[in-house]
Amino acid sequence: MNQFLLGTILAILISVTAWRLRLLSRSGMIAAGIMGILVFGLGGLPWACLLVGFFISSSLLSRFARKRKSQLDDKFSKGSQRDAWQVIANGGVATLLLTVSWIQHDLIGCSEACFSANGWAFLTFAGSLAAANADTWATELGVLSKSKPRLITTGRQVPAGTSGGVSPAGMLAATAGAVLIALLTALPWADIPHPLDPLPVIILVTVAGLVGSLLDSLLGATVQAIFFCPTCQQETEQSPLHSCGTETFKRRGLEGMDNDMVNLCCTLGGALLVWLVFMIQYR
Ligand SMILES: [Zn+2]
C-alpha cells in the first residue's frame, strides 16, 4: 500500500509539472496522472522508469524541435501540448497490459509459467512503450531532416510532416527511441524475473518499437483520414476546421482513423510482436 501512496504522489507531481510546463493540456494532465498512478502504484519502479523514460525523452524532443518545426505545426492536427487522447494513444495499451497482468498475478494468482509471473508482461509493456517512443522520436526529429521523406507504400517523395512518409533520419531517430526503452528494460531490476538475457531483451524490445513505428507509417499512408483546406490549398490532419478557420473536407482515408487511432495501433503492434514471441516460446 505504501508503494501505491508514493506512486500516486509521484504521478501527480510529474503530471502537474508537465501541465505547468505546457507539455500537457488540462485533459492530458488528468489522463497522464491516472496512467502514472496505475503504473507507479501497481507496477512500481521498473515499470514507472520505462513510462517516465518515454515521457521525458519525447517531451524534451518536442521542446527542442519546436522552433524549427513551427512552420509545420498547422499540418499536424494538434500543437505540442498533448491532450488526453494523445496520452491514451501513446500509453494506454501499456497501462492496460500492466493492469491486466497485475489482476492476473497479484489479485487472482497464477502459475509460474503464466504471462504475468515470468516477466513477459513486462517485456510486452516495454514493446508497446518502445513503439510509442520510436514513433514520437521519428516524428519530432524526422521533420527536421533536410532530405524529403518518401511515402512508405509507393516511395513517392512527399513534403516533410506528411503521414506515412519515411526518411533515413526518421528511421535512425525511431531506432534510437526504441533502443532507449530497450536499455531501460534490460537493467537488472531486482523484482522482475527476466525470461531472457539482457542482449535478447534489448534486441526484442528494439525490434518491437521499430515494427510498431513502421505499422504507424503504413497506416498513415493508407487508411489514416487526411483532409484538405481549400483556402490554404494544402493537406492537413485538422478537421472539421483548419487552423485558418476554413472548413476542411476529407480527401482520403477512413472516417475516425485519426492520428491518435494510428498511434494506438502503433503501440498495439509493438506489444503484439513481443506477445507473439512469448506464444512461440511457450507453445
Ligand atoms: Zn487553411
Side-chain angles (χ1 to χ4, degrees), residues 8-22:
T8 303
I9 293 168
L10 283 174
I12 291 174
L13 208 65
I14 291 177
S15 47
V16 169
T17 305
W19 171 66
R20 307 254 340 225
L21 289 173
R22 296 174 174 280

Side-chain angles (χ1 to χ4, degrees), residues 229 231-232 242 244 246:
C229 171
T231 305
C232 306
H242 192 217
C244 67
T246 312

Side-chain angles (χ1 to χ4, degrees), residues 4-280:
F4 202 85
L5 194 68
L6 185 67
T8 303
I9 293 168
L10 283 174
I12 291 174
L13 208 65
I14 291 177
S15 47
V16 169
T17 305
W19 171 66
R20 307 254 340 225
L21 289 173
R22 296 174 174 280
L23 298 169
L24 294 171
S25 71
R26 191 179 294 261
S27 74
M29 169 185 69
I30 294 167
I34 293 170
M35 200 169 274
I37 290 170
L38 287 170
V39 173
F40 274 97
L42 301 182
L45 191 62
W47 308 70
C49 190
L50 266 56
L51 185 69
V52 170
F54 158 67
F55 185 69
I56 290 185
S57 74
S58 59
S59 299
L60 283 180
L61 277 187
S62 308
R63 259 298 149 87
F64 160 78
R66 185 182 290 175
K67 266 218 172 90
R68 284 193 58 188
K69 222 177 50 178
S70 55
Q71 72 266 32
L72 288 163
D73 256 354
D74 62 284
K75 198 166 195 105
F76 295 111
S77 56
K78 289 161 185 170
S80 54
Q81 270 188 50
R82 289 169 213 284
D83 65 18
W85 289 120
Q86 282 172 294
V87 170
I88 293 168
N90 281 301
V93 170
T95 307
L96 192 68
L97 273 164
L98 162 61
T99 309
V100 168
S101 121
W102 181 81
I103 291 172
Q104 187 186 20
H105 184 245
D106 291 67
L107 217 56
I108 303 173
C110 57
S111 68
E112 277 299 298
C114 99
F115 179 70
S116 301
N118 54 21
W120 280 94
F122 184 60
L123 293 185
T124 313
F125 173 90
S128 175
L129 282 181
N133 213 36
D135 182 51
T136 308
W137 281 41
T139 307
E140 301 293 354
L141 292 175
V143 291
L144 303 180
S145 159
K146 291 232 162 53
S147 62
K148 275 191 174 177
R150 291 175 180 278
L151 217 55
I152 191 171
T153 42
T154 59
R156 180 168 58 90
Q157 271 203 347
V158 286
T162 305
S163 298
V166 290
S167 65
M171 298 287 285
L172 199 67
T175 309
V179 165
L180 175 74
I181 300 296
L183 289 174
L184 292 174
T185 312
L187 288 178
W189 299 110
D191 47 348
I192 298 287
H194 267 311
L196 303 172
D197 289 333
L199 190 61
V201 165
I202 292 171
I203 293 170
L204 177 61
V205 174
T206 303
V207 170
L210 284 177
V211 165
S213 103
L214 284 176
L215 180 67
D216 187 286
S217 302
L218 196 62
L219 294 175
T222 52
V223 294
Q224 185 173 351
I226 305 294
F227 299 85
F228 188 76
C229 171
T231 305
C232 306
Q233 289 290 309
Q234 60 169 243
E235 288 192 345
T236 175
E237 292 176 355
Q238 290 165 6
S239 159
L241 294 181
H242 192 217
S243 49
C244 67
T246 312
E247 197 174 332
T248 57
F249 57 88
K250 201 179 82 176
R251 188 168 238 191
R252 57 192 148 84
L254 297 178
E255 205 68 56
M257 199 61 174
D258 60 6
N259 198 39
D260 293 338
M261 203 57 133
V262 170
N263 270 337
L264 192 76
C265 293
C266 159
T267 58
L268 199 59
L272 266 176
L273 185 105
V274 179
W275 186 76
L276 273 176
V277 174
F278 163 74
M279 289 303 276
I280 293 165

